[in-house]
């Protein structure tokens, strides 16, 4: 079998495996909404490309788009965390087959380059290049900008795969993208000398018009492709073969005996805490969320980057909501590994749901302590903090816990790289987006109708009502779960 035949066969098999996945049925409506969102994004990119071309023609600087391209690449890098899987997640079933393993990795890398999401960025580059071409730029210059822009987008996809794989090994690798993107953004944000910014923009404008930019972008793409080819295979094979360095035996066992007074709920609280302490995949999400909260709270408290009123509101809410959005979107998925055991005793699940709710409410103390310097610095007020704490514990958690009814895809407890349930499906992503922006819409509407203090008091009232009514809506979730338990149990078993 030659490489082309293998590529076509694996591409077909990948499409079929996705359609046969238990997650496919529950995300059909979500996929339609994502396609609608993609359509709006394409229209936005077309408008943006056209608008950027106009000042480029007026100033006779056709390379203007290349000068702001790092900002677009940063946005693109963040968006890929929601939509792009690493090849190591997909290659696991093929490692034991009599196929050339590096060729399989190459297939998934090429497949990621040919994704529709990457092609969508043509909606930015094509209108820009057409407008500057009719505005006086040469054909070769316009073609070079088009090719450079798309090659950098493809390079960014390989860069994301590299960073995502390294981060799944250790959270310290977050320093790599921070340093890379900060090298461009820090001079723009913190420099008081306009000459520095002008020199930086002029360099990228001239580079965008030169032919060697195509050579540079193509060389970077080939280099990262080669690095990913070896790295993805190595890490996937190590995890599947259990060749990673084993952790030392536990020197101390934490019993958390103080939780025993709460009976069955206390036992499930122990399970939540020990799952974070002992399971790599769950611990990775916990540490990642905590690191992000610390990072953004420090930026908000000690810099002027987010000084506008709405941005302060958004980041205050986001710091409280982040942990719930990263863990509760997968609610019951870790328990899918032992769901059969949980269904042995009557009303085990309702006790587990209550324990999860109490744990996630208690964890709000962490961002509260971390954000206290922002209050001292005058960026936040205690009334704002209380409004978003109650909104998170009430309205947000009520929405995210609804996924317990529909989630039926098991995620591994320790496999961070090759776990096949590590990526959110369409329904989960949409609920995440709604949970992220609905409170912002709510506070905006309230601020248009009332003053700031009244708006926060209304949010506190709504959040407190949802929080106090948690026994009712948790019971409702439990009853709906029991009606679907055989369907969900079949999905959990099929995805272990």
């Amino acid at each position: 079998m030659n490489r082309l035949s293998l590529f076509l066969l694996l591409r077909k098999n990948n499409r079929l495996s996705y359609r046969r996945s238990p997650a496919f049925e529950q995300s059909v409506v979500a996929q339609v909404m994502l396609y609608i969102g993609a359509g709006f994004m394409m229209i936005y990119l077309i408008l943006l490309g056209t608008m950027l071309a106009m000042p480029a023609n007026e100033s006779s600087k056709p390379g203007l788009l290349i000068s702001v391209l790092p900002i677009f690449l940063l946005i693109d890098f963040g968006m890929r965390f929601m939509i792009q899987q690493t090849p190591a997640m997909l290659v696991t079933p093929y490692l034991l087959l009599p196929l050339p393993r590096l060729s399989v990795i190459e297939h998934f890398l090429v497949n990621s380059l040919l994704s529709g999401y990457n092609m969508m960025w043509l909606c930015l580059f094509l209108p820009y290049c057409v407008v500057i071409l009719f505005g006086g730029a040469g054909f070769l210059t316009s073609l070079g900008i088009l090719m450079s822009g798309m090659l950098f987008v493809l390079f960014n996809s390989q860069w994301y795969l590299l960073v995502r794989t390294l981060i799944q090994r250790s959270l310290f690798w977050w320093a790599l993208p921070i340093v890379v993107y900060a090298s461009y953004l820090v001079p723009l944000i913190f420099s008081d000398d306009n000459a520095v910014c002008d020199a930086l923009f002029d360099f990228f404008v001239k580079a965008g018009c030169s032919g060697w930019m195509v050579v540079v972008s193509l060389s970077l793409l080939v280099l990262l492709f080669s690095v990913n080819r070896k790295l993805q295979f190595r890490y996937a094979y190590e995890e599947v073969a259990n060749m990673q360095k084993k952790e030392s035996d536990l020197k101390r066992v934490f019993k958390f005996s103080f939780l025993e007074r709460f009976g069955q709920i206390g036992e499930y609280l122990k399970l939540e805490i020990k799952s974070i302490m002992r399971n790599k995949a769950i611990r990775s999400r916990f540490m990642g969320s905590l690191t992000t909260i610390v990072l953004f709270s420090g930026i908000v408290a000690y810099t002027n980057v987010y000084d506008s009123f709405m941005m302060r509101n958004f980041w205050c809410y986001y710091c409280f909501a982040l942990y719930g959005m990263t863990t509760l979107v997968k609610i019951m998925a870790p328990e899918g590994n032992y769901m059969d055991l949980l269904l042995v005793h009557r009303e085990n699940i309702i006790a587990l749901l209550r324990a999860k709710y109490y744990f996630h409410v208690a964890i709000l103390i962490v961002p509260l302590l971390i954000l206290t310097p922002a209050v001292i610095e005058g960026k936040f007020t205690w009334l704002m903090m209380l409004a978003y704490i109650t909104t998170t514990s009430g309205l947000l958690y009520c929405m995210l816990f609804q996924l317990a009814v529909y989630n039926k895809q098991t995620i591994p407890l320790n496999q961070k790289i090759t776990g096949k349930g590590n990526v959110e499906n369409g329904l989960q992503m949409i609920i995440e987006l709604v949970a992220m922006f609905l409170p912002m819409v709510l506070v905006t509407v309230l601020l248009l109708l009332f003053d700031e203090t009244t708006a926060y008091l209304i949010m506190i009232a709504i959040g407190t009502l949802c929080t106090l009514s948690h026994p009712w809506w948790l019971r409702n979730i439990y009853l709906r779960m029991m009606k679907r338990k055989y369907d969900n149990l079949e999905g959990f078993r099929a995805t272990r």
Side-chain angles (χ1 to χ4, degrees), residues 142-318:
S142 302
L143 181 61
I145 292 173
L146 175 63
M147 293 178 63
S148 299
M150 281 307 301
L151 285 172
F152 272 116
V153 168
L154 298 179
F155 161 80
N156 210 41
S157 72
Q158 297 299 302
W159 166 248
Y160 160 80
L161 293 178
L162 174 66
V163 172
R164 179 71 180 271
T165 304
L166 293 174
I167 288 172
Q168 287 171 330
R169 299 276 289 190
S170 174
L171 290 175
F172 291 107
W173 283 107
W174 270 112
L176 181 61
I178 291 173
V179 170
V180 170
Y181 290 112
S183 63
Y184 177 84
L185 296 176
V186 168
L188 300 181
I189 297 173
F190 297 101
S191 177
D192 296 328
D193 187 4
N194 291 332
V196 175
C197 300
D198 292 341
L200 189 62
F201 274 113
D202 289 340
F203 170 77
F204 280 103
V205 167
K206 293 178 181 178
C209 297
S210 62
W212 59 265
M213 181 59 75
V214 178
V215 178
V216 170
S217 56
L218 181 59
S219 302
L220 289 173
L221 175 60
V222 172
L223 175 63
L224 267 189
F225 185 92
S226 302
V227 172
N228 267 320
R229 178 176 175 268
K230 295 184 178 179
L231 194 71
Q232 297 286 337
F233 172 74
R234 175 188 169 188
Y235 285 169
Y237 186 75
E238 281 184 2
E239 189 165 272
V240 171
N242 198 23
M243 293 169 56
Q244 290 179 310
K245 184 179 178 181
K246 294 183 179 179
E247 297 183 6
S248 59
D249 294 334
L250 293 174
K251 296 181 179 180
R252 183 177 179 185
V253 177
F254 294 93
K255 295 183 178 180
F256 302 106
S257 55
F258 67 94
L259 293 174
E260 293 176 0
R261 70 187 68 180
F262 301 108
Q264 190 179 25
I265 292 178
E267 295 300 321
Y268 282 121
L269 283 170
K270 290 182 186 180
L271 180 64
E272 287 291 316
I273 298 172
K274 290 185 178 182
S275 293
I276 294 173
M277 295 173 62
R278 298 181 179 180
N279 299 315
K280 295 178 184 177
I282 300 176
R283 184 169 65 242
S284 176
R285 285 186 177 241
F286 176 81
M287 295 303 298
S289 301
L290 187 62
T291 303
T292 306
I293 291 172
V294 173
L295 175 65
F296 282 114
S297 61
I299 293 175
V300 172
Y302 299 110
T303 70
N304 298 323
V305 178
Y306 301 116
D307 264 359
S308 66
F309 177 75
M310 290 309 299
M311 289 305 295
R312 282 187 285 114
N313 273 268
F314 175 78
W315 288 116
C316 180
Y317 166 70
Y318 189 73

Side-chain angles (χ1 to χ4, degrees), residues 18-19 21-35 403 406-409 423-430 484:
Y18 175 69
R19 295 184 65 87
S21 170
F24 179 77
E25 296 178 1
Q26 68 186 47
S27 59
V28 172
V29 176
Q31 287 175 4
V32 173
M33 297 181 67
L34 286 175
Y35 288 139
L403 282 169
Y406 306 104
N407 284 353
K408 56 181 181 179
Q409 189 172 9
V423 180
E424 282 80 10
N425 58 47
L427 178 63
Q428 291 169 335
M429 285 192 292
I430 287 178
R484 292 172 48 94

Side-chain angles (χ1 to χ4, degrees), residues 438-455:
L438 180 61
M440 290 297 99
V441 175
L442 177 62
V443 72
T444 302
V445 172
L446 291 175
L447 287 171
L448 290 175
L449 300 176
F450 308 100
D451 60 277
E452 183 179 342
T453 301
T454 305

